[in-house]
Amino acid sequence: MNSTELIRALSKKGTEDLSSSLQWIKPIPEDVNALIEKIDMALKIVKFSQSRCAEKPGVKTSNEHIDSLTRLKSEIESILNKS
């Protein structure tokens, strides 16, 4: 399965998570395994960024990006396990 086929198989929420995560994973690779690797890398970057922001007094961080990336990765893995 390539990324185009996978994207078509995403649920509405998965499509929304993909859309909100594009800034972290663009350009989307054709290979699904490379896409999962990019999502993993994006998760690491966002978590690191949030940890740095949390060190600053009075700065609140949001888990929105982490949640979207995590849900997206889970849905992709679920789709791949079914096929």
Side-chain angles (χ1 to χ4, degrees):
M1 177 179 285
N2 65 36
S3 293
T4 304
E5 294 169 325
L6 178 78
I7 290 169
R8 284 189 214 123
L10 290 173
S11 68
K12 182 180 179 195
K13 185 63 178 169
T15 303
E16 290 171 1
D17 287 336
L18 175 65
S19 178
S20 68
S21 300
L22 282 176
Q23 66 182 342
W24 302 104
I25 58 176
K26 250 181 149 180
I28 297 174
E30 282 297 316
D31 180 59
V32 175
N33 293 321
L35 175 59
I36 291 172
E37 288 176 20
K38 273 188 121 171
I39 292 170
D40 283 336
M41 184 58 69
L43 278 165
K44 290 175 186 174
I45 292 168
V46 173
K47 287 177 183 177
F48 176 76
S49 175
Q50 284 187 345
S51 71
R52 298 291 293 169
C53 288
E55 292 175 359
K56 298 176 184 174
V59 175
K60 284 191 170 186
T61 59
S62 168
N63 287 334
E64 186 176 327
H65 290 293
I66 290 175
D67 294 343
S68 291
L69 287 163
T70 302
R71 283 191 306 265
L72 179 61
K73 181 181 176 191
S74 293
E75 184 167 345
I76 289 171
E77 288 173 339
S78 174
I79 290 169
L80 292 175
N81 288 335
K82 290 179 185 176
S83 57

